[in-house]
């Protein structure tokens, strides 16, 4: 007969976003920072800010399914960009994140996005438990889905434990997270055992029964470990008493099932049917560790088989009674009728085997049965969050590549540089390198660029009112060529001098592609340790600098600065990375 006990489904980590002012002032806070830090009109980003706030509001009440988990993960990935864009490390923007502990209801208020991230992930882990608990456990497919959800929940809680520190609330503390991980693993193993029972319900030989006995003993042992963790300080003071009671109920219940399946293997099959594998399994899964136990694990006669089987049967009935007593002792579990029915059904199945044994002797006269050794054939692996499955677009992408145009970087306000080439055809006097954004690589002394205020290391952010912060190198070169003799550039000067380093030379005279280049991607560097979302950023490289000038008129059919007629270069070729605009 199939039965099921209750699962632990974790409650949400309730939350509320709190600003120094009210939520109405969220727009001005973001807009003011955009104006102050990025020197752009914050009103141009009203739609992006509104979309972010709407996503957060929707995230407060996710659906209890995979779609709800996806919403939480997408919001989590969006926080990667929000933290980089709007949360400078040296000061507070004035935004506070307030969450309510899922166990105590006590609010915690923090200024760090890491707290927001951890709380969102906690809710994702909690949703996985709710998805697992509502699966159809009377079908192998439903049990497989439950196992998968429990392993994902365990992996999420483990990720929080490994990636976030100094938790301000108890449910995010390391001891609590450790317990939750083990609890989810125990429930995943419980589902695996139920699947084995379900699949072998119609045809079960002695070896299968002994395998079930061993797996049930493993489930009981895992719940015993969970009970040890949940009973420790400070975890015990915060978890509901019903949790502790249910863990104990499951520990006794599954140990009863272990003894019942071992008894079934012995009582339902005569010795003549015992194969060598059966005898080896009986010897492997039973352990004599008490003077009051039967002193053999493999029966030699039919009488030995009956005595050994009935001793396991008696132990199973004792454990069934204990599990039901523990349920009655807990006020909350006592009222769970489905749990009561499941425990009674398990006891009835054991009594049915007792009735089939054909011997009505008093079980109290039997010696204790050998203990069941807890082992499993199944290795469980945690499933950590896969952020790459929930890619998001940077809502504030137009501010520029996040690795450069972030809250922790500083640069001057944009300034307009206008260069007009005279009739003599002289060059502009500057060269560029890299892309996203393109950088001024060098400025000739007393050139038009130098006199116009251009500096080595400046970022080109627009050309003739066209934003080029995300433009590739060849796109910028093409736009500059299209300007002809008059160029209008908007530049910013970074205050981080590392950007001004020139590409390093190798012994052969070639530039390293990585040295001196500007990267449009980087690791997150946030306190949470979260990796950058997959596919969210790209990396720019700098190739070797070419010694020719496509913008200065050729004399005598050759290119300027060593690019003679024999060079074979065509000024229309825009595949190079460094361009000299002299």
């Amino acid at each position: 007969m199939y039965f099921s006990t209750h699962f632990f489904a974790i409650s949400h980590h309730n939350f509320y976003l709190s600003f120094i002012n009210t939520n109405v002032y969220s727009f001005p806070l973001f807009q003011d920072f955009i104006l102050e830090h990025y020197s752009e009109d914050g009103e141009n980003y009203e739609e992006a800010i509104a979309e972010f706030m709407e996503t957060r509001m929707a995230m407060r009440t996710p659906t209890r399914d995979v779609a709800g988990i996806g919403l939480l993960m997408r919001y989590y990935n969006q926080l990667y960009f929000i933290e980089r864009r709007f949360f400078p490390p040296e000061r507070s923007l004035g935004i506070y994140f307030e969450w309510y502990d899922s166990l105590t209801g006590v609010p915690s208020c923090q200024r760090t996005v890491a707290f927001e991230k951890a709380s969102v992930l906690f809710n994702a882990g909690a949703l996985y438990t709710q998805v697992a608990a509502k699966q159809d456990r009377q079908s192998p497919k439903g049990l497989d889905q439950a196992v998968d959800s429990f392993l994902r929940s365990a992996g999420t809680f483990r990720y929080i434990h490994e990636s976030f520190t100094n938790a301000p609330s108890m449910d995010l503390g390391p001891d609590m997270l450790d317990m939750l991980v083990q609890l989810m693993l125990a429930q995943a193993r419980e589902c695996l055992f139920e699947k084995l029972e379900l699949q072998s319900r119609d045809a079960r030989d002695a070896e299968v029964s002994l395998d079930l006995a061993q797996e049930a003993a493993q489930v009981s042992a895992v719940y015993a470990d969970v009970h040890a963790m949940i009973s420790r300080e400070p975890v015990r003071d915060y978890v509901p008493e019903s949790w502790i009671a249910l863990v104990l109920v499951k520990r006794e219940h599954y140990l009863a099932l272990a003894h019942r399946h071992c008894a079934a293997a012995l009582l339902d099959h005569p010795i003549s049917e015992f194969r060598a594998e059966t005898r080896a399994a009986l010897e492997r899964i039973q352990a004599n560790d008490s003077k009051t136990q039967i002193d053999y694990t493999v029966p030699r006669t039919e009488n030995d088989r009956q005595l050994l089987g009935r001793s396991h049967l008696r132990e199973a009935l004792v454990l069934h009674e204990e599990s039901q007593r523990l349920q009655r002792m807990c006020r909350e579990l006592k009222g769970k009728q489905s749990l009561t029915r499941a425990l009674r059904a398990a006891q009835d199945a054991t009594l049915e085997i007792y009735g089939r044994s054909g011997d009505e002797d008093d079980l109290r006269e039997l010696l204790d049965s050998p203990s069941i050794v807890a082992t499993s054939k199944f290795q469980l692996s945690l499933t950590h969050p896969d952020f790459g499955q929930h890619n998001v677009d940077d809502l504030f992408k137009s501010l520029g590549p996040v690795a450069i145009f972030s809250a922790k970087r500083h640069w001057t306000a944009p300034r307009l540089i206008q260069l007009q080439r005279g009739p003599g055809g002289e060059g502009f006097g500057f060269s560029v390198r890299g892309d996203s954004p393109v950088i001024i690589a060098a400025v000739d002394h007393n050139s038009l660029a130098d006199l116009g205020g251009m500096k080595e290391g400046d970022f080109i952010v627009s050309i003739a009112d066209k934003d080029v912060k995300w433009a590739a190198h060849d796109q910028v070169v093409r736009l500059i060529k299209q300007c002809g003799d008059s160029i209008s550039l908007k530049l910013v000067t970074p205050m981080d001098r590392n950007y001004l380093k020139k590409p390093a030379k190798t012994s052969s005279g070639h530039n390293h592609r990585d040295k001196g280049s500007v990267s449009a991607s980087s690791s997150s560097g946030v306190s949470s340790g979260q990796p950058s979302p997959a596919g969210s950023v790209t990396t720019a490289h700098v190739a070797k600098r070419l010694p020719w000038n496509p913008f200065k008129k050729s004399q005598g059919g050759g290119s300027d600065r060593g690019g003679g007629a024999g060079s074979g270069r065509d000024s229309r070729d825009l595949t190079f990375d460094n361009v000299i605009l002299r």
Side-chain angles (χ1 to χ4, degrees), residues 161 170 173-180 229 232-235:
H161 180 275
M170 184 59 199
D175 294 328
M176 185 65 69
L177 291 173
D178 273 340
M179 186 276 295
L180 290 176
M229 300 183 72
R232 291 188 316 213
E233 299 291 344
V235 176

Side-chain angles (χ1 to χ4, degrees), residues 420-438:
Q420 177 67 47
R421 189 159 47 189
E426 71 276 13
F428 292 112
F430 71 93
S431 62
V432 299
R433 62 182 173 92
D435 57 5
S436 302
V438 171

Side-chain angles (χ1 to χ4, degrees), residues 187-226:
Q187 294 188 118
R189 193 166 291 283
E190 182 181 355
C191 290
L192 282 175
F193 170 77
E194 290 184 357
K195 182 180 178 181
L196 289 176
E197 272 202 325
L198 183 64
Q199 291 178 329
S200 63
R201 182 170 50 186
D202 299 329
R204 191 174 295 170
D205 57 21
E207 284 84 1
V208 172
S209 294
L210 293 176
D211 285 343
L212 288 171
Q214 217 166 11
E215 294 292 339
Q218 180 66 20
V219 176
S220 176
V222 172
Y223 273 115
D225 293 338
V226 173

